[in-house]
Amino acid sequence: MTIENHHRRSFVHPLLEQAGAEFAEIAGGNVALNVGNDESAAADIIRRMGLVDLSPLPRIGYKGVGAPQWLRQQSLQLPLQANSAVTQTDGTLVAALSAQEHLLLSPYTVAAISATSVGDASGICQRVENAWSLDSAAQCYQLPRADSHCWFAVCGSSVGEMLPKLCGVDLRPHVFADNAVAQTSLARVNAIIIRQTIANTAVFHLLTDSASAEYLWRCLLDAMAEFDGAVVGLNALQSLHND
Amino acid sequence: MTQDNRLPAPHGLLIDRQQTLTFKFDGREYSGYAGDSIASALAANNVWLLSRSFKYHRPRGILTMAGQDANTMVQLPDEPNVLADREAIREGLIVEGQNYNGSLTNDRDMFVQNFARFLPVGFYYKAFYKPKRIWENFWEPYFRKKAGLGKVNEAAQEQYFDKKYEFCDIAIIGGGAAGLSAAAAAADAGADVILIDENPQLGGALNYARFDVEDSAAAALRQQLLDKIAGRVRVFSNAVCNGWFADHYLPVICGNRLHKIRAKQCIVAGGNIEQPLVFHNNDLPGIMQGSAAQRLIKLYGVRPGSRAVVATANSAGYGVCLDLLDAGVSVAAVADLRTDPPPHPLAQAVAERNVKIWHGHTVYEATPTAGYRHVSTAAIRPLSGRGTCSSGGDTLECDLICMSPGYMPAWQLPCQAGAQLGYDDTRAAFTLENLPQGFALAGAINNSTTLAAACRDGRRAVATLGYSLTTENNDNTSDEEAEEMINTDWHIFPHPRGKEFVDFDEDLQVADILNAAADGYDHVQLAKRYSTAGMGPSQGRHAALSVARLLASASGKSIAETGITTARPPFAAEKLGVMGGRHFNPERHTAMHQQHIALGAQFMPAGLWLRPAYYGEPHARQQCIEKEVLAVRNNVGMVDVSTLGGLEICGSDAGEFLNRIYTGSFTKQAVGRTRYVAMCNEQGVVIDDGVACRLHEQHYYVTATTSGVDNVYRNMLRWNAQWCLDVDISNVSAAWAAVNVAGVKAREVLQRAGCDIDLSTEAFSYMAVKTATVAGIPARLIRVGFVGEMGYEIHVPATFGNALWQALTAAGAEFNIQPFGVEAQRLLRLEKAHIIIGQDTDSMSFPHEVNLEWALAKNKPFFVGARAFEIVSKRPLQRRLVGFSLPADSPKPKEAHLVISGEAMSGRVTSCEYSPTLNKIIGMAYVTPQQTEIGTTINIRTDGGVMAAAQVEALPFYDAEGARQKL
Amino acid sequence: MKLMPCPLNGLRNISEFICAGELKDMPLTTVDKTVDDKAWADYLFNQDNAAGIVREWWCHSATSYWFIAERHTVTDEIIRTYPADEIYKQRVDFTPPPVPE
């Protein structure tokens, strides 16, 4: 057997299966493209209150005194301040969790992914991961963020009303602008929250303990219920770019 | 039933006459309108008796109509102690009275009031304690029944409650004239404002009180202010701010949701709380606050009576009088406690409508109708001194007495925020001073009681918070009205027959407060605890002023010195469900969780994790565990050990760092080798253990206990914050899934699954670590022997954890591989005498007590706990962990059973199980040093006091040479 | 609920933090291993418990970030918070034990 036989599997894979998800292999992971809704319904949901699982997509972290320098050597543009993020030209998001710790999130739309073929070395996460070794990167240590953290995105016009039911940090846009990062507690689980806007739709990336993924998924669905929120697939996220 | 007391529109701001609702009270059906409270709908039907009092079972009715008293507490099917003046009626609602014996209208327990003189304050402390145990066996159950509030329906359906954070620049509590004016000014100044009001409709007193003869000013001002804030301020109506907490953190309850509001600054515009006049029988149904009568008329369109007497000491009472007249209530008289009040347009208007006004008079006593069910007369007497009356005056028939003698500022929230309560003798009113940073008062609470003053004060409050006001903030209120005195300096009239109630909740009369003072409890805090004044559901809202005045008078202190008792949160009663909110109980699952479910695992918690305890049906628990154990001993098993803590320690000082953190020595550990690690705290107590795998000169992968890893990780970070070593520490527990394949066929299973390294003993010996791929999955393989068999702990990225389990299941099928759970794992390690931190250790376990001397490196300059252990090890050993065994058919000791020597306990059992491998009961126990020799008999007291004589055995119980794990 | 200004994460509810007590200097690091048992026990078990401004270890639990807070124990006012390296700037080493004769 070889590694190709196994695709990275989301921590909420069984829940997505139950919800009737259609999966596709992207960048070595089984990603849900659609979840039980037709395309136009999903496009409507994500503009209102949608939950997307991005867990199977690549992400990686680097930490240590030498990490910023080494990442810059890999031609990455780093945020100027801790707890902020900056998007690279290919769509990869680099978030600074402290002056010496960075989190790389691969592009998360189908278009961006296929444009850069994340699975091969042309994707930034993969390229950087391949370049790194303990010996070659002085005082720069790699963190297995794709395994330690699940990656969800909550999107839409009601998301600003939904998140305060789970989180005690003020996430309103004038306080927590695009590319702001908050490391806090979400429904009692430690979380990294990153805000972005895609074509006027608010998108919050939530990265939390992968072992608590099913718990948090259910918490989010419960909190979203009053806004008629639902789970959608990666295609719905893609549809935001059509605006 | 008809609603005989219903007034025509425009009376009744809150009700919708198009929607009639029927409900039941005390077994009878009534109708009301949508928007009615239970109390207002009953009043419309001429039902005034709502409850029975706490101690004397006297009939009680509407007092405040504002949810500020316990008189209106009723029972709903699923909820006790509901305030009938706040709870809205719904179609088909079933309401019952509370606290009566018989029926609400005929309560057999009302005789109690005839024995009032035998129930003085503090009677709990003076009586009922002889003979011995009579209190707990008789009196307490008796009083709990008699003085009980509502009944909890244990079968009630669980409701959905939740919580939500809100953020703002300024939170304004109170939506009356001052609060609305402040909200408008703050919004103008660019502030992000939340306005919180407990009523269904904004406006506060503007909705029900009378400020001018024409009764037009309030409504006009209200509309003007509402227009100003419309769309610019977030409004929470029907929302109670239940406390002030540090840094302006406000819990606001709105239905079943708790809003946790974090404001940068606060304005409290909570108004005044009207106080009752204290006179004989002042608690009869039909006697209410003037504002309560106005609320009935204006908010609900209910006529509060047909013939009224108004007792007042300010112009508000005259406003009440005019409202009564306009509602068709005849007013028999106004008793004005002031001898020579300043002229006021409202008083003048009352005089012009030919109402008899008695200056310098009070209502001295009321008489009831039969059964104390309603007021029937009011005796008006001239004041002859403070609290005394002379003969004269008149006794008037009436069914309504309105009381307006004065007010207390709503002191609760400001005092919680740190404000101090003072007393202004010239105005005979409490004041709030020394407000904290970012906190302001506005309106009546700040002694600004006229409309113009309240509006002005609202704007001023915004300015004091540092906002500059714009000129558009002006409204049309004139500044000409003079501030008037709203309180009289004395409003309490003791009566020879008592029953002048000071605290309606607790049935406390004037004499009760005076007796508390006479018994020596004259400090307000002591008097409260002794008399229970202010301890009822209304928390002293209507009793505080009277208690303060009575105590001040009895002790000779000023009222400012006397003060009132602390008003802690919550401001109003709150449900446990509101506090609980949603059930946020994080639960962690390993990557193989679905596989365990499919295999029929019974789960057990391990910290936040769920782990399979064993696989199979609960009724066959023991057989399942034994089967799993024997499979590992005789064949091969696999166990999910993903919940183990995992830490990456990297950097040039990684070895040095481990040397300091753990008891062992790591700098010379070869790459590719693993070592057992034990951690002590600074006191020298063993607090964690695991295995350190050296993967690179500068990289160790260290495991830690499932429940200890978070603390271990934090401790490591704090130590290195002080030591400044070149080391980086990461907690990667959730990133790695792990399976331990153990048993004589473990190697074959792994080879069958496909492993790209040489697994032979020569190439991959016991305690070695290698990176490899297993079934194509990148893995770290560790040869460890926790369960005492040849074993490979396979650690893989969590996203491949499920795939690994499936691959091992498939590869192991031909070897009959047996999944095993925590229970089997614990028994297997017990046979090997491997301790479990937290089970076989406690918060006082030193390394030498648990046989870990071998794990202490002697020649290190330092490790955490070394110095303390050095001190402790010089002392005589207190206890030691030993192994013991018992025949299979012996009574089986359990964890924490005691080892008994003679009369004394000399130790305790930490682990004990029946071992199918050895066919005997084995265990470990702390014993005294004298009991440690092999072969010593120790006596263990098992369940039911049955003694078991166990033999101390050499450890481990199984495979002492450790040959099997090294295969 | 009180707010705590975290040097890394800004103002947060104090429920996001863990307090680990006052800063103490370990006698071993300043002197050598000759510190007597009594002095060591004093270091382990006794707290100053001062009424006034104290320096405390606080940890932001979501980030496991340790920092130092100066807090007034009478008013509970948090005067200042700052990263630990403002105080701990130098690598700490321990004196090796004397070689047995």
Side-chain angles (χ1 to χ4, degrees), chain B residues 369-655:
Chain B
T369 59
Y372 285 81
R373 283 185 204 121
H374 210 83
V375 60
S376 93
T377 69
I380 294 177
R381 297 269 186 277
L383 304 182
S384 61
R386 200 176 71 167
T388 61
C389 295
S390 54
S391 56
D394 200 355
T395 298
L396 301 166
E397 285 192 7
C398 62
D399 61 359
L400 173 66
I401 299 177
C402 293
M403 307 180 283
S404 297
Y407 301 87
M408 271 297 285
W411 74 95
Q412 294 89 346
L413 294 179
C415 287
Q416 285 162 21
Q420 278 161 4
L421 208 59
Y423 190 81
D424 179 351
D425 284 300
T426 58
R427 300 179 59 259
F430 276 102
T431 57
L432 288 156
E433 291 146 14
N434 293 338
L435 302 176
Q437 269 288 313
F439 191 97
L441 300 176
I445 194 174
N446 201 29
N447 294 318
S448 300
T449 51
T450 65
L451 293 183
C455 291
R456 212 166 39 236
D457 205 41
R459 294 190 297 273
R460 182 203 53 80
V462 173
T464 63
L465 296 181
Y467 287 88
S468 41
L469 301 183
T470 57
T471 47
E472 297 112 68
N473 281 322
N474 290 325
D475 49 49
N476 297 329
T477 51
S478 74
D479 288 1
E480 287 158 26
E481 301 166 52
E483 286 288 321
E484 77 153 315
M485 186 158 149
I486 55 167
N487 278 14
T488 173
D489 65 353
W490 194 261
H491 66 293
I492 304 161
F493 298 92
H495 192 279
R497 294 203 304 280
K499 301 291 186 302
E500 352 65 340
F501 288 96
V502 168
D503 187 322
F504 291 68
D505 297 8
E506 301 278 323
D507 271 355
L508 293 172
Q509 311 161 59
V510 171
D512 293 323
I513 305 301
L514 297 178
N515 287 343
D519 284 355
Y521 299 98
D522 60 352
H523 187 282
V524 66
Q525 299 287 3
L526 297 176
K528 169 181 173 175
R529 278 134 188 98
Y530 191 63
S531 69
T532 71
M535 284 167 72
S538 41
Q539 292 285 290
R541 280 175 181 73
H542 57 256
L545 184 63
S546 303
V547 171
R549 285 180 174 173
L550 284 168
L551 283 177
S553 155
S555 65
K557 291 182 195 151
S558 72
I559 292 171
E561 282 170 330
T562 303
I564 61 170
T565 54
T566 316
R568 297 185 181 84
F571 174 73
E574 62 190 24
K575 297 177 190 174
L576 292 173
V578 167
M579 281 191 273
R582 287 177 59 204
H583 305 287
F584 286 139
N585 298 316
E587 195 175 273
R588 306 182 80 187
H589 294 169
T590 72
M592 304 75 149
H593 191 74
Q594 294 300 319
Q595 304 287 338
H596 300 320
I597 292 173
L599 287 165
Q602 303 300 321
F603 289 95
M604 63 187 281
L608 295 178
W609 293 94
L610 281 188
R611 294 194 66 185
Y614 57 93
Y615 298 85
E617 293 298 321
H619 66 83
R621 177 178 182 278
Q622 196 59 33
Q623 295 94 300
C624 292
I625 295 168
E626 287 180 18
K627 178 182 162 210
E628 292 171 18
V629 166
L630 293 172
V632 176
R633 286 283 175 251
N634 302 326
N635 189 38
V636 64
M638 59 194 264
V639 58
D640 179 358
V641 292
S642 305
T643 64
L644 270 177
L647 300 162
E648 307 269 14
I649 314 291
C650 298
S652 61
D653 283 327

Side-chain angles (χ1 to χ4, degrees), chain A residues 141-155:
Chain A
Y141 310 101
Q142 187 167 279
L143 293 172
R145 294 288 189 182
D147 295 293
S148 64
H149 284 65
C150 58
W151 178 11
F152 302 152
V154 285
C155 319

